């Protein structure tokens, strides 16, 4: 069974950077589309970014495009989210999620993913 564990969250000042990691155990990630989502208490979970199983297709929310970069290292069974130029409004719990599809060349950041991690807190504050 696929298990996902996020790490790399923390407290950072506005304008700073963090790199989140999503490590998998139980199965290999190479056949899975991976997405990053975030949620603020009292608000709906929103999609941030996603990457296809090959890494050839990515997608970003308008609010993070140009600041965040998603990547994956299938040999390490890990997906990364590099977050630069962080803003206070990026503060949230960040989750990674997965669904099996080794064929698609596109991905979406809608909430249709099957497996979810427990989340990691990102706080952007001075």
């Amino acid at each position: 069974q696929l298990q996902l564990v996020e790490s790399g969250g923390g407290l950072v000042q506005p304008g700073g950077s963090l790199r989140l990691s999503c490590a998998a155990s139980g199965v290999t990630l190479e056949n899975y589309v991976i997405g990053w989502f975030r949620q603020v208490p009292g608000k709906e979970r929103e999609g941030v970014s996603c990457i296809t199983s090959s890494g050839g297709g990515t997608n970003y929310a308008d609010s993070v495009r140009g600041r965040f970069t998603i990547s994956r290292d299938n040999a390490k069974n890990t997906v990364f989210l590099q977050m630069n130029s962080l803003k206070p409004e990026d503060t949230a719990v960040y989750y990674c999620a997965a669904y099996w599809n080794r064929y698609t060349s596109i991905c979406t950041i809608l909430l249709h993913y099957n497996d979810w991690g427990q989340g990691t807190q990102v706080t952007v504050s001075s």
Side-chain angles (χ1 to χ4, degrees):
Q1 182 174 347
L2 176 62
Q3 292 184 319
L4 302 172
V5 178
E6 303 92 339
S7 63
L11 173 64
V12 64
Q13 293 186 341
S17 298
L18 283 174
R19 188 175 81 156
L20 304 184
S21 298
C22 173
S25 62
V27 299
T28 178
L29 271 186
E30 66 182 3
N31 295 323
Y32 286 80
V33 174
I34 304 298
W36 283 98
F37 298 81
R38 64 187 182 187
Q39 189 168 24
V40 175
K43 293 189 176 182
E44 293 186 354
R45 192 169 296 187
E46 64 171 348
V48 174
S49 182
C50 62
I51 187 167
T52 58
S53 59
S54 69
T58 59
N59 201 356
Y60 297 92
D62 289 343
S63 59
V64 307
R65 186 173 288 113
R67 300 187 297 122
F68 291 10
T69 303
I70 192 170
S71 61
R72 65 190 301 155
D73 185 339
N74 285 339
K76 295 183 178 179
N77 230 25
T78 303
V79 174
F80 305 99
L81 185 68
Q82 178 67 42
M83 306 187 297
N84 298 330
S85 302
L86 283 162
K87 304 175 181 180
E89 52 263 44
D90 294 318
T91 296
V93 177
Y94 283 71
Y95 301 87
C96 65
Y99 70 90
W100 194 99
N101 190 324
R102 64 179 295 178
Y103 305 110
T104 186
S105 60
I106 60 174
C107 63
T108 63
I109 46 177
L110 301 175
L111 298 176
H112 58 81
Y113 289 65
N114 297 324
D115 299 284
W116 292 79
Q118 294 301 306
T120 185
Q121 176 71 46
V122 171
T123 302
V124 184
S125 175
S126 55

